[in-house]
C-alpha cells in the first residue's frame, strides 16, 4: 500500500519527539499500521533553528496553513498548542478533508464540540490521546476498554507540575515558590505556569475525561477550578499526621441529579495507590460498575511520552482510513446523537468531606462552640486534632475532618464559625475524598 502522508505543525519538544519516534520505530510502526507513515512537511516558527531530530526529506515552512492546504497530505498533526491559530488550523484541515491528530487539551476542551461536529460532517477523524495525561492511553481505555461500563466516577492527577510541587513540599519540606521555579527550569510547566498551579490545565483535561466517561458535551466553563497556591507546609504536615496526602485532583462523579466536575487540592488516604503517585507522574483512577476500580499510571508530559500517544493516534487513524466512517469509534465515546444533557452541578451542590484548620484563641469552650455550629448544620465530625500552643502563644490550630457534606452546608457553618470571637485567623479548608471503591 502507498505510504500515508503526514504534515506536522509545530517542531517544539513534542514535535521533535514525534519525528524521533516515527523514525526510530519505523519498521515496528509499519508492521502495526499496515502502511508506512511518512512525514512530508513540517512547520515551525524558526525553520533554521538547529534541532536534534532528523528533518531530511521533510519540506519545512514557517506557515502552518501551508500544511492544512497541502493536497498531498492525508493527516495533519497539530502540536502548536493554545487556541489560536490552532483552532483555525484544525477546522481548515477538516474542511480540506484531512484527518487530525492533536495534543492540544485547551483546543479540545474549549472548541471540541465544534471541531467534532465539523469532523463528523466531513467524515474525518480527530484524535487527541496526547491531550490528557501525556503517555497514558487513558482516552483509549475509557472510550474503548471500559465501554461495557457505567462509569461512576473518576479521579486524576493530571497535571505533572502541580504534583511535582506538592511532592517536593511533602518530601523535602521545600516552599511552594522554590519548587515552582525548579519545575519551570525543568520544562514541566506550561508557558504560562498559572495554568498548572491554578488548575486550568487540569480543568482542560478533566473536561475531556468527563465527556468521554459520561457521554455529555464538552463543558469547560462548568468545571469548578481551584489551584494549589494556598497549600502550606503546615497543612501538608497536618494531613500526613492524620494519614492523608494532599494531591491536586480532577474529580468527576455521576449522580442521579447531575455531574460533579471539579479540580481542587484534595486529601486522599495515604494507603490508596493514587495517593502514592509522586513527582511529575500522572494517574487516573476510574470506577466502572462492572469492572470496579481501575488505575492508569504513567508520565503525563515530556517529548517521548507525548510522542508515544501522538504516534498511537496516527496508527489508529491510518487503520481507519479504509473503514466505513459511520462505524468508527465516536470522538466522545458515545454516538454524537446519543450525548445526554445531564447537567453539570454547581459547586454548592457538590458533596465531599473536608479538612478544616481553624486557628483559635486557646480558651475553654472553643471546640464546644465549633462542634455546636457543625452539629446545627448536620455536619458530622470524623476526627479532630489539636496541638499544644507554641511556648508564649495563646493561639492553637484546631484540625477537623468532616464526613461528606454539600458545599452549601459547609459554607453556612464556616460563616458562623467565622464570627466566633475566639477565631484567630483565616480558616483553611481542603476537600477530602476517600476514593473508596
Ligand atoms: N504542564 C503540563 C503538566 C504538561 O505539568 O502536566 C502536560 O500537559
Amino acid at each position: 500500500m502507498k505510504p500515508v502522508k503526514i504534515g506536522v505543525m509545530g517542531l517544539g519538544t513534542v514535535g521533535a519527539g514525534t519525528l524521533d519516534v516515527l523514525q526510530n520505530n519505523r519498521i515496528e510502526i509499519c508492521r502495526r499500521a499496515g502502511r508506512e507513515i511518512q512525514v512530508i512537511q513540517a512547520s515551525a516558527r524558526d525553520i533554521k533553528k538547529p534541532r536534534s531530530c532528523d528533518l531530511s526529506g521533510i519540506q519545512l515552512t514557517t506557515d502552518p496553513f501551508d500544511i492544512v492546504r497541502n493536497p498531498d497530505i492525508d493527516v495533519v498533526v497539530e502540536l502548536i498548542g493554545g487556541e489560536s491559530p490552532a483552532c483555525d488550523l484544525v477546522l481548515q484541515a477538516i474542511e480540506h478533508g484531512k484527518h487530525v491528530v492533536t495534543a492540544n487539551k485547551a483546543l479540545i476542551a474549549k472548541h471540541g464540540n465544534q471541531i467534532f461536529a465539523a469532523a463528523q460532517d466531513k467524515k474525518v477523524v480527530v484524535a487527541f490521546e496526547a491531550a490528557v495525561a501525556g503517555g497514558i492511553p487513558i482516552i483509549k481505555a475509557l472510550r474503548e476498554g471500559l465501554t461495557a461500563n457505567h462509569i461512576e466516577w473518576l479521579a486524576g492527577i493530571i497535571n505533572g507540575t502541580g504534583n511535582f510541587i506538592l511532592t517536593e513540599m511533602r518530601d523535602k519540606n521545600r516552599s511552594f515558590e522554590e519548587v515552582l521555579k525548579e519545575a519551570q527550569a525543568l520544562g514541566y510547566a506550561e508557558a504560562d505556569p498559572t495554568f498548572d498551579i491554578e488548575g486550568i490545565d487540569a480543568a482542560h483535561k478533566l473536561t475531556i475525561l468527563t465527556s468521554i466517561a459520561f457521554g455529555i458535551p464538552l463543558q469547560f466553563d462548568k468545571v469548578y477550578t481551584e489551584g494549589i497556591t494556598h497549600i502550606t507546609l503546615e497543612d501538608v504536615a497536618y494531613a500526613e499526621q492524620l494519614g492523608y496526602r494532599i494531591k491536586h485532583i480532577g474529580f468527576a462523579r455521576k449522580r442521579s441529579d447531575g455531574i460533579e466536575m471539579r479540580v481542587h487540592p484534595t486529601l486522599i488516604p495515604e494507603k490508596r495507590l493514587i495517593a502514592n503517585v509522586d513527582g511529575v507522574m500522572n494517574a487516573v483512577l476510574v470506577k466502572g460498575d462492572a469492572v470496579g476500580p481501575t488505575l492508569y499510571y504513567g508520565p503525563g508530559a515530556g517529548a517521548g511520552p507525548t510522542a508515544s500517544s501522538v504516534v498511537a493516534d496516527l496508527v489508529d487513524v491510518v487503520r481507519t482510513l479504509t473503514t466505513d466512517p459511520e462505524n468508527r469509534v465516536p470522538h466522545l465515546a458515545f454516538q454524537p446523537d446519543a450525548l445526554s444533557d445531564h447537567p453539570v452541578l454547581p459547586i454548592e451542590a457538590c458533596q465531599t468531606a473536608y479538612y478544616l484548620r481553624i486557628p483559635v484563641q486557646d480558651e475553654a469552650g472553643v471546640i464546644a462552640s465549633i462542634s455546636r455550629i457543625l452539629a446545627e448544620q448536620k455536619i458530622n465530625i470524623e476526627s479532630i486534632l489539636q496541638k499544644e500552643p507554641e511556648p508564649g502563644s495563646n493561639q492553637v490550630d484546631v484540625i477537623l475532618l468532616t464526613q461528606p457534606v454539600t458545599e452549601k452546608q459547609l459554607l453556612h457553618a464556616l460563616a458562623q464559625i467565622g464570627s466566633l470571637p475566639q477565631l484567630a485567623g483565616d480558616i483553611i479548608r481542603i476537600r477530602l475524598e476517600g476514593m473508596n471503591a
Side-chain angles (χ1 to χ4, degrees):
M1 264 204 218
K2 279 199 312 191
V4 178
K5 305 261 171 71
I6 310 293
V8 175
M9 302 187 285
L11 283 179
T13 311
V14 179
T18 299
L19 294 186
D20 281 342
V21 170
L22 284 171
Q23 277 152 8
N24 297 341
N25 298 349
R26 189 175 65 82
I27 294 171
E28 202 74 345
I29 290 166
C30 183
R31 284 177 63 210
R32 290 191 169 118
R35 291 168 75 172
E36 189 97 29
I37 296 176
Q38 194 182 0
V39 178
I40 63 162
Q41 193 174 27
S43 72
R45 247 180 311 197
D46 179 2
I47 52 176
K48 298 223 172 74
K49 189 173 151 184
R51 290 183 167 81
S52 56
C53 56
D54 180 5
L55 295 170
S56 52
I58 300 175
Q59 187 198 338
L60 295 180
T61 172
T62 52
D63 183 2
F65 285 93
D66 287 347
I67 294 180
V68 301
R69 293 189 209 108
N70 184 337
D72 296 331
I73 286 176
D74 305 300
V75 187
V76 301
V77 181
E78 186 279 305
L79 300 174
I80 294 174
E83 292 174 60
S84 177
C87 190
D88 280 344
L89 285 165
V90 166
L91 288 171
Q92 283 203 28
I94 293 168
E95 190 56 36
H96 284 84
K98 299 185 193 316
H99 302 273
V100 177
V101 173
T102 178
N104 191 331
K105 51 238 164 164
L107 175 75
I108 298 298
K110 296 181 82 173
H111 305 278
N113 296 323
Q114 182 192 3
I115 289 170
F116 296 146
Q120 185 76 10
D121 208 38
K122 284 283 178 181
K123 303 189 187 322
V124 295
V125 177
V126 176
F128 51 95
E129 181 66 74
V132 182
I136 308 176
I138 185 63
I139 303 294
K140 188 100 178 161
L142 258 181
R143 199 161 58 176
E144 299 177 49
L146 298 178
T147 202
N149 290 261
H150 277 284
I151 305 299
E152 295 174 359
W153 55 265
L154 60 85
I157 295 174
I158 42 182
N159 181 268
T161 301
N163 201 39
F164 177 69
I165 293 172
L166 292 174
T167 304
E168 290 286 303
M169 285 173 76
R170 192 196 72 228
D171 288 356
K172 301 187 187 149
N173 213 28
R174 296 174 68 195
S175 75
F176 183 94
E177 293 74 20
E178 184 192 334
V179 190
L180 173 60
K181 279 203 191 102
E182 189 184 339
Q184 286 176 281
L186 290 168
Y188 304 146
E190 294 296 299
D192 176 356
T194 57
F195 272 46
D196 297 295
I197 60 179
E198 298 296 355
I200 300 159
D201 178 74
H204 288 145
K205 296 164 180 169
L206 183 68
T207 302
I208 299 170
L209 291 177
T210 306
S211 288
I212 291 176
F214 306 127
I216 58 169
L218 296 149
Q219 294 167 74
F220 171 71
D221 55 333
K222 305 247 175 78
V223 188
Y224 172 79
T225 306
E226 188 181 301
I228 54 171
T229 50
H230 61 287
I231 300 297
T232 62
L233 288 171
E234 270 174 302
D235 294 308
V236 171
Y238 280 134
E240 189 137 30
Q241 286 168 37
L242 291 159
Y244 292 82
R245 301 235 165 121
I246 301 178
K247 294 287 178 190
H248 203 192
I249 291 285
F251 188 84
R253 172 166 40 215
K254 189 171 182 189
R255 303 182 352 197
S256 57
D257 57 344
I259 289 167
E260 297 187 9
M261 185 163 58
R262 43 192 167 92
V263 171
H264 48 70
T266 310
L267 270 78
I268 306 174
E270 66 189 3
K271 60 185 178 218
R272 300 270 178 266
L273 275 176
I274 194 168
N276 293 280
V277 171
D278 285 336
V280 288
M281 298 304 270
N282 281 197
V284 184
L285 176 56
V286 184
K287 171 71 167 50
D289 65 342
V291 69
T294 57
L295 181 67
Y296 308 86
Y297 169 85
T306 312
S308 168
S309 288
V310 168
V311 174
D313 272 350
L314 271 173
V315 171
D316 258 0
V317 170
V318 169
R319 287 174 178 148
T320 62
L321 291 178
T322 49
T323 62
D324 172 4
E326 302 303 325
N327 290 318
R328 290 176 180 151
V329 179
H331 290 110
L332 289 176
F334 293 72
Q335 297 298 335
D337 60 0
L339 292 182
S340 96
D341 57 2
H342 207 49
V344 175
L345 295 164
I347 189 66
E348 295 73 33
C350 292
Q351 208 172 26
T352 179
Y354 281 89
Y355 158 100
L356 301 176
R357 173 159 63 88
I358 310 173
V360 292
Q361 300 299 333
D362 188 19
E363 289 173 15
V366 186
I367 290 186
S369 302
I370 294 172
S371 309
R372 178 183 46 75
I373 292 169
L374 292 174
E376 279 166 9
Q377 288 298 326
K378 304 204 173 353
I379 298 174
N380 207 351
I381 298 171
E382 182 76 28
S383 52
I384 188 159
L385 174 74
Q386 189 202 310
K387 296 270 158 137
E388 288 174 4
E390 296 287 322
S393 165
N394 187 36
Q395 193 182 313
V396 285
D397 280 333
V398 175
I399 313 292
L400 291 171
L401 302 186
T402 74
Q403 287 200 343
V405 292
T406 63
E407 176 98 358
K408 195 171 168 190
Q409 271 173 292
L410 188 87
L411 290 179
H412 276 306
L414 290 187
Q416 290 176 45
I417 295 171
S419 56
L420 286 176
Q422 299 95 336
L423 191 73
D426 291 339
I427 301 171
I428 302 297
R429 66 179 175 122
I430 307 174
R431 294 172 182 82
L432 183 156
E433 290 289 345
M435 308 226 173
N436 293 314

